[in-house]
Amino acid sequence: MFQTGLSSFYSVCGDAAGIAGNLFAFALFVSPIPTFKRIIRNQSTEQFSGLPYIYAFLSCLICLWYGMPVVSPDIILVATVNSIGAVFQLIYIIIYITYADRARKLKMSGLLIAVSALFLTVVFLSMTFFDSYKRQTFVGYLSVISLISMFASPLFIIKLVIKTSSVEFMPFYLSLSTFLMSLSFSTYGVFKYDPFIYVSIILPAEPRIFFFFLILSSYAC
């Protein structure tokens, strides 16, 4: 009976962490809206980089696939948050391509096609060549790699922040939402006993924490 109660407690805590992660992720997804309002208003991408949105789009697609019941049972909150995220990132990428100069337009369009093709390839391979257990392992490793690349993408922006001595290209709420979402989903992964969730959060934790406090210090100056 004690074990049943403990299991129920773990389940409730896991769901609560997952819901919190979804909420913080939504805040993360909408945080670039002021940036894209500026791009639309000025009809120029200026010095904003489109690469973080490409990385985020790829990560959302792979993590969406990982969260689907056909790949991983009982972590549907991973699928829901990443489905919403994929839609937001695609919209941002389309807006960026629309207002970018010719060189960036071609580059971003090529990357978008490449990411879409890569995702379809992952779905095909995982469904064709792997059973249910190996499929989860295969997609799980890919989700870890994609999340690390997404969380490392601020390097491109930090270079610009240092160069311009301005934090306008890395909004504070974007950094804060990323930080809180990471904490929530790492907790969710622990309660769901899913190493692919919490390892993908913990492994690149130090650079994310460094990025977050770097932004905090930049805003304080």
Side-chain angles (χ1 to χ4, degrees), residues 52-68:
Y53 306 102
I54 288 288
Y55 285 120
F57 183 55
L58 175 60
S59 178
C60 285
L61 288 177
I62 293 179
C63 292
L64 164 62
W65 182 235
Y66 179 73
M68 295 297 288

Side-chain angles (χ1 to χ4, degrees), residues 56-208:
F57 183 55
L58 175 60
S59 178
C60 285
L61 288 177
I62 293 179
C63 292
L64 164 62
W65 182 235
Y66 179 73
M68 295 297 288
V70 70
V71 177
S72 304
D74 198 33
I75 55 168
I76 193 64
L77 289 174
V78 171
T80 57
V81 68
N82 284 287
S83 62
I84 297 171
V87 172
F88 271 97
Q89 302 310 318
L90 181 58
I91 292 172
Y92 294 146
I93 292 169
I94 291 173
I95 294 174
Y96 190 93
I97 291 173
T98 301
Y99 293 100
D101 58 44
R102 180 176 174 78
R104 288 184 179 181
K105 194 185 296 286
L106 291 174
K107 179 181 178 180
M108 289 292 292
S109 298
L111 288 173
L112 179 59
I113 293 172
V115 164
S116 301
L118 178 60
F119 172 66
L120 292 175
T121 302
V122 168
V123 172
F124 173 76
L125 292 176
S126 61
M127 292 301 295
T128 305
F129 298 104
F130 298 98
D131 59 28
S132 58
Y133 174 75
K134 291 182 179 179
R135 183 183 305 132
Q136 182 178 13
T137 303
F138 171 68
V139 181
Y141 278 117
L142 292 179
S143 67
V144 170
I145 295 171
S146 68
L147 281 169
I148 291 174
S149 68
M150 183 184 75
F151 285 123
S153 64
L155 280 170
F156 296 103
I157 307 177
I158 285 180
K159 180 181 177 181
L160 184 59
V161 169
I162 295 173
K163 181 181 178 180
T164 61
S165 299
S166 172
V167 294
E168 67 171 321
F169 297 104
M170 181 177 275
F172 171 75
Y173 290 110
L174 176 62
S175 303
L176 177 62
S177 299
T178 302
F179 182 71
L180 294 175
M181 184 196 70
S182 301
L183 291 179
S184 298
F185 271 109
S186 62
T187 305
Y188 180 71
V190 169
F191 281 118
K192 291 295 182 179
Y193 306 103
D194 191 318
F196 289 116
I197 297 178
Y198 62 76
V199 167
S200 64
I201 301 298
I202 293 172
L203 192 59
E206 290 186 7
R208 284 203 313 280

